[in-house]
Amino acid sequence: MRIDTQSQEDQTTTPSTAKQWNLAKLLVAELCELGVQDVRTTEHCMVYATIPATVPNPDGIPTIGFIAHVDTSPAVSGADVHPIVHHNYRGGDIVLPKDPSQVITVAQHPLLAGLIGDDIITTDGTTLLGSDDKAGVATIMTMVDVLLKNPRIAHGRIAIGFTADEEIGTGIDTFDVQQFGADFAYTVDGGELGEISDETWSARLATVTFGGKSAHPGTAKGVMVNSMYALAWYLTQMPRDMLPETTEDRVGFVHPYAGVADVQESSVKILLRDFEVSGLESKERLLRALAATAVERFPGVSVRVDVKENYRNMKEVLQHHPQLTENAFEAARRAGIEPFLKPIRGGTDGSKLTFRGLPCPNIYTGGHEFHKKLEFNSRRGLEKTTETLVHLAQIFAERP
Ligand SMILES: [Zn+2]
């Protein structure tokens, strides 16, 4: 079954696109069919459900939530997806047949060597696969099926959540933590098998606005102040070694990503990203200092710098709940996967939930190359993720 659930930026409603309902409604129907109690939806396309505990004394055991998002990235079309299963992968580059310029290469993906013998799932090269995050949705649904068919598996209460509009960062604002009813949760929205994340960016958005004075160009001498020159100079002052295109791993950046320019007023929006609040503070100081210098260099120009917080590094909270990461590691090992920690150079639904009282690390789905036509996953990726979730449910019942 193929369901286009692409979300869209700059909409006034949640969900941003009505088609996300097509998957949400199907999930509701399937959950009910599986016999899950208590399936609920909200007007904003959130789906909540609860699986009762199988242990005799569930009150001493935390309720664990599993969350995945139904929408796919606005970056690449998710309509009319043609998934291709490359059975029993033999190694080598994978050329996507409908667009031979799209190649998953061994050079860029050394981990392909570990997928030999696996069944790799790609698109035909013309769309997104949508494994982000339908792999999360699928593995959670399979976990539900496994738990309900095997009541001898000991676990506490389990909460299931499917969210809309994760990719545009707004859906989660309508998520009702109270109604969801979990003590802790995991977003199942990560990449490579083994990858577990308890850390995201701390993120701010700066809007820097230069003011000038417009005049009729025929009579502008001594009157006109063109704010565009101040903006142009300002942009050239961004440190080369502090940009998304020059940084990786734990190094933060500033990223001017959109702007408007005219004589009267020119402004730019700049993302500030760092894992440490101190790093974020120093980037904000730098942007403000450069703005002040611009005003000195361009007489008559004024400047305003507005900075707001987007989200914070969930590690600030998760460091007080180390068992969440430890249990995820243990679950991975029981599934035969070597776990590792990877900080997310972005935010997740979990980063916001964590600060709203639902501590929420992120775990893998087996997917790669999110938000691209090269996106892929594998049969083993999905199976091992499902196994991990089933183990995780049990581990919390063993070590409350
Ligand atoms: Zn995702």
Side-chain angles (χ1 to χ4, degrees):
M1 191 162 326
R2 304 165 195 160
I3 303 173
D4 176 15
T5 55
Q6 191 176 28
S7 52
Q8 198 176 338
E9 304 266 7
D10 299 323
Q11 302 301 302
T12 51
T13 55
T14 303
S16 61
T17 52
K19 57 192 176 185
Q20 293 178 60
W21 276 113
N22 296 338
L23 180 53
K25 283 179 180 162
L26 179 74
L27 292 170
V28 169
E30 287 192 359
L31 284 166
C32 292
E33 218 168 281
L34 288 172
V36 180
Q37 303 177 341
D38 198 16
V39 184
R40 294 147 284 155
T41 52
T42 73
E43 55 173 329
H44 298 299
C45 200
M46 301 285 141
V47 179
Y48 309 121
T50 314
I51 302 173
T54 54
V55 293
N57 53 341
D59 287 349
I61 296 172
T63 298
I64 301 302
F66 294 99
I67 298 170
H69 62 92
V70 300
D71 65 316
T72 62
S73 169
V76 180
S77 173
D80 202 21
V81 175
H82 295 275
I84 295 176
V85 181
H86 306 259
H87 290 283
N88 195 10
Y89 170 64
R90 284 300 176 204
D93 294 352
I94 302 173
V95 181
L96 303 185
K98 280 282 176 61
D99 180 356
S101 73
Q102 300 288 335
V103 185
I104 303 168
T105 64
V106 175
Q108 279 185 329
H109 300 94
L111 55 88
L112 280 173
L115 297 180
I116 288 174
D118 198 349
D119 300 333
I120 297 183
I121 308 157
T122 69
T123 66
D124 61 5
T126 60
T127 64
L128 203 69
L129 181 61
S131 172
D132 174 16
D133 185 25
K134 285 167 181 166
V137 172
T139 52
I140 290 173
M141 289 297 283
T142 312
M143 173 198 75
V144 170
D145 192 27
V146 169
L147 293 182
L148 290 176
K149 285 201 177 118
N150 299 278
R152 303 249 285 268
I153 296 177
H155 61 82
R157 241 175 113 248
I158 306 285
I160 302 299
F162 296 119
T163 64
D165 283 345
E166 189 271 350
E167 296 290 0
I168 58 172
T170 54
I172 205 63
D173 297 336
T174 74
F175 190 90
D176 188 336
V177 170
Q178 214 69 32
Q179 185 178 160
F180 184 57
D183 297 298
F184 309 107
Y186 294 87
T187 47
V188 186
D189 192 18
E192 183 181 350
L193 284 179
E195 177 189 301
I196 291 162
S197 303
D198 59 4
E199 209 172 352
T200 57
W201 285 138
S202 281
R204 293 179 190 171
L205 168 66
T207 307
V208 180
T209 308
F210 294 100
K213 193 186 289 178
S214 68
H216 189 285
T219 55
K221 186 172 181 181
V223 180
M224 183 189 282
V225 177
N226 191 335
S227 72
M228 288 197 281
Y229 295 113
L231 175 62
W233 178 84
Y234 185 75
L235 290 174
T236 63
Q237 301 307 301
M238 298 295 126
R240 284 300 306 163
D241 59 355
M242 204 189 278
L243 303 177
E245 56 268 48
T246 58
T247 53
E248 60 184 347
D249 300 330
R250 294 192 61 88
V251 183
F253 59 69
V254 295
H255 176 38
Y257 72 98
V260 288
D262 64 40
V263 173
Q264 182 75 32
E265 191 173 277
S266 298
S267 71
V268 61
K269 289 183 174 180
I270 306 174
L271 303 180
L272 290 77
R273 298 291 186 262
D274 207 288
F275 289 107
E276 311 296 335
V277 172
S278 59
L280 210 52
E281 298 283 353
S282 73
K283 286 177 179 61
E284 181 174 335
R285 277 197 301 275
L286 172 74
L287 292 184
R288 288 184 184 280
L290 286 171
T293 308
V295 166
E296 281 165 24
R297 290 179 68 109
F298 296 86
V301 167
S302 64
V303 71
R304 203 173 63 239
V305 181
D306 298 312
V307 179
K308 67 171 185 124
E309 184 177 275
N310 288 138
Y311 53 86
R312 278 155 66 187
N313 186 343
M314 59 185 177
K315 184 85 177 184
E316 286 178 39
V317 175
L318 293 181
Q319 63 185 343
H320 303 299
H321 305 281
Q323 79 280 14
L324 298 183
T325 306
E326 286 162 16
N327 288 358
F329 267 55
E330 175 63 18
R333 289 196 186 101
R334 288 188 191 182
I337 300 295
E338 190 49 49
F340 59 94
L341 271 182
K342 185 172 175 189
I344 299 174
R345 290 172 67 84
T348 64
D349 273 352
S351 42
K352 282 189 178 162
L353 294 176
T354 294
F355 285 95
R356 284 168 52 197
L358 181 64
C360 192
N362 187 47
I363 54 183
Y364 49 84
T365 62
H368 302 275
E369 294 288 337
F370 290 2
H371 305 184
K372 295 181 193 153
K373 292 176 181 175
L374 294 178
E375 189 183 10
F376 66 98
N377 203 317
S378 73
R379 185 175 46 76
R380 183 166 176 271
L382 298 173
E383 288 173 356
K384 287 296 170 185
T385 300
T386 303
E387 263 185 64
T388 304
L389 301 183
V390 173
H391 284 302
L392 201 42
Q394 297 174 81
I395 289 167
F396 278 93
E398 292 166 19
R399 3 165 133 166

